[in-house]
Amino acid sequence: MKKLALLFIVFTMLAGLTTFVSAASEPKAVDVALNDTPTTVVPGEAVVLKAICKRSGSSFDVAWTDAVEGQTAFDEETECYVSEAVFQQDKPGAYTISCDIVMCAGKSSTTFVGRVERTIEVTGSVTLKGAEIRDLTAKPVYCSDGSVACYDASGRIYSLWSDGTAVLYGSIYFYFGADETSKSVNVTIYEKGIKYVYPVTVNR
């Protein structure tokens, strides 16, 4: 009977010890921040993501999903781990990028885990939509009698794209008649070997 009682006590202690160890090794949640990024990009556009986590352990492991992991470093000034990754996709669609972080506190069995997600949508390809003339200058050209014969004009051509951007393409030179205050100018842009001509109205 005493042996049974002793065995019962031993099993009870072991069960309690197992529960204690299990509770001590249960991971603790930590916050992970993500830098600001665009939520919509065009195919092929690269986005750099930075996951930032306060140091809670001496070791740091990170895993990115749907992004190519770059360098991970410890910032001594902020005492944070910073992990970088690059997201880039050619196929349109919505992609959820995630970053999982695991830290261990020294020689103890305590672990800290964190997770952060960001959804980025890849939209259709960007297309050329038009042209614009900017930085226009018009200098008068005088006749021998002092009257204005015409105005020599110059400006910069910008290509206009479907995502709202304007890209410097080149320069343009033309003239205004002596009495012209505005005119329509044909602007030519070549994109991937294709010629596009856009009428652009400019004011002197």
Side-chain angles (χ1 to χ4, degrees):
M1 190 69 179
K2 289 182 178 181
K3 289 183 179 180
L4 288 175
L6 181 61
L7 287 173
F8 176 76
I9 294 172
V10 171
F11 282 129
T12 302
M13 291 178 63
L14 288 174
L17 181 61
T18 302
T19 303
F20 174 77
V21 172
S22 175
S25 62
E26 184 177 347
K28 296 182 179 180
V30 293
D31 293 327
V32 182
L34 202 60
N35 65 312
D36 291 334
T37 63
T39 56
T40 303
V41 297
V42 297
E45 182 178 353
V47 178
V48 178
L49 300 103
K50 293 183 180 180
I52 305 168
C53 182
K54 197 73 174 179
R55 182 172 66 176
S56 299
S58 56
S59 66
F60 181 95
D61 291 316
V62 60
W64 288 88
T65 301
D66 274 344
V68 179
E69 182 181 345
Q71 68 173 5
T72 297
F74 176 67
D75 188 331
E76 294 184 356
E77 185 176 345
T78 61
E79 295 188 349
C80 290
Y81 287 110
V82 181
S83 180
E84 293 186 1
V86 176
F87 168 80
Q88 189 173 28
Q89 287 287 345
D90 294 323
K91 184 179 179 180
Y95 298 83
T96 299
I97 302 99
S98 63
C99 179
D100 292 282
I101 291 172
V102 178
M103 291 174 285
C104 294
K107 297 180 180 180
S108 71
S109 59
T110 304
T111 58
F112 302 85
V113 297
R115 181 181 179 87
V116 66
E117 294 182 345
R118 174 70 51 80
T119 298
I120 297 178
E121 184 177 359
V122 179
T123 59
S125 59
V126 178
T127 57
L128 182 63
K129 289 297 185 180
E132 188 173 80
I133 297 175
R134 300 181 182 180
D135 304 322
L136 180 69
T137 60
K139 298 180 179 180
V141 177
Y142 296 97
C143 297
S144 58
D145 61 358
S147 62
V148 176
C150 62
Y151 291 86
D152 281 338
S154 63
R156 294 178 177 176
I157 298 173
Y158 282 80
S159 56
L160 306 179
W161 299 85
S162 59
D163 64 349
T165 59
V167 180
L168 178 62
Y169 180 79
S171 300
I172 187 170
Y173 302 90
F174 56 97
Y175 70 92
F176 287 95
D179 298 322
E180 285 185 316
T181 56
S182 67
K183 72 182 304 178
S184 179
V185 180
N186 286 331
V187 175
T188 301
I189 293 178
Y190 288 89
E191 171 63 15
K192 296 181 179 178
I194 301 175
K195 180 180 178 180
Y196 298 88
V197 179
Y198 299 100
V200 178
T201 299
V202 290
N203 297 313
R204 174 164 58 84

